[in-house]
Amino acid sequence: MAAQAPDSDTQHLATELRTVVTRLVKKLRAHSPTRDKLSLTERSVVRQLDQHPHLLPSELAEMEKVTTQSMSQILRHLAERGYVLRQPSPTDGRKVHIVLSDAGRQLLQTARQERDEWLHAVLTEQCSAAELAALQQVLPVLTKLVASE
């Protein structure tokens, strides 16, 4: 489908959607007690390692748009807390892969559960059956937006 020039209604929708999604993400973070354990970048590194079984520190630095020196500090902090492990590369003894530890996986699971529980409670308390149905219908559209390049 060819992109169309945004009209004022679509432009307004884009602004409103961005604003509300940003606020929702902030609310979700705020209602997760585990948020205080790690910085945003540290949490992002843990999520990256959950999605990718093992990564080199340089790969993580590139993904997170930080210097290799900054990534070294981040990884040192995560390792001190027991959330990541360093494993020698099976193909190149000079390289070390970073992997998520069991404690790191547990941290992610706990944070996700906290956010899901808060969102479930808010949906239950604040939304009518019709509003819940409307949200259910919009999920494929939001998923499509997220999947686009």
Side-chain angles (χ1 to χ4, degrees):
M1 176 189 248
Q4 298 174 340
D7 60 29
S8 64
D9 288 344
T10 305
Q11 186 65 45
H12 180 72
L13 174 62
T15 300
E16 291 296 312
L17 182 60
R18 176 190 46 78
T19 301
V20 77
V21 168
T22 300
R23 287 179 179 165
L24 178 59
V25 168
K26 286 180 180 180
K27 283 268 195 181
L28 287 167
R29 284 186 190 139
H31 286 88
S32 177
T34 60
R35 76 184 180 284
D36 294 332
K37 293 183 179 186
L38 301 175
S39 71
L40 284 174
T41 305
E42 289 169 339
R43 287 194 306 254
S44 182
V45 167
V46 170
R47 283 190 302 272
Q48 291 286 3
L49 291 169
D50 185 48
Q51 294 172 359
H52 307 281
H54 53 79
L55 292 168
L56 297 171
S58 59
E59 293 171 323
L60 282 164
E62 185 177 326
M63 294 167 114
E64 294 300 316
K65 309 289 189 247
V66 299
T67 65
T68 53
Q69 293 84 0
S70 293
M71 184 53 64
S72 292
Q73 291 176 336
I74 291 165
L75 293 175
R76 184 172 36 256
H77 185 247
L78 291 172
E80 287 170 358
R81 293 188 160 225
Y83 298 138
V84 299
L85 302 170
R86 290 178 166 86
Q87 294 181 342
S89 169
T91 58
D92 186 343
R94 299 168 296 170
K95 294 182 179 180
V96 176
H97 286 135
I98 307 300
V99 298
L100 197 58
S101 69
D102 290 340
R105 273 187 260 298
Q106 183 61 47
L107 176 77
L108 272 177
Q109 182 180 356
T110 300
R112 287 174 179 152
Q113 183 176 349
E114 290 166 349
R115 292 187 307 260
D116 286 350
E117 287 174 0
W118 175 81
L119 189 54
H120 176 262
V122 170
L123 288 170
T124 302
E125 294 167 9
Q126 301 293 321
C127 296
S128 67
E131 289 169 328
L132 292 172
L135 285 171
Q136 187 68 42
Q137 286 188 324
V138 80
L139 281 178
V141 177
L142 293 174
T143 301
K144 179 180 174 181
L145 294 175
V146 170
S148 69
E149 291 293 324

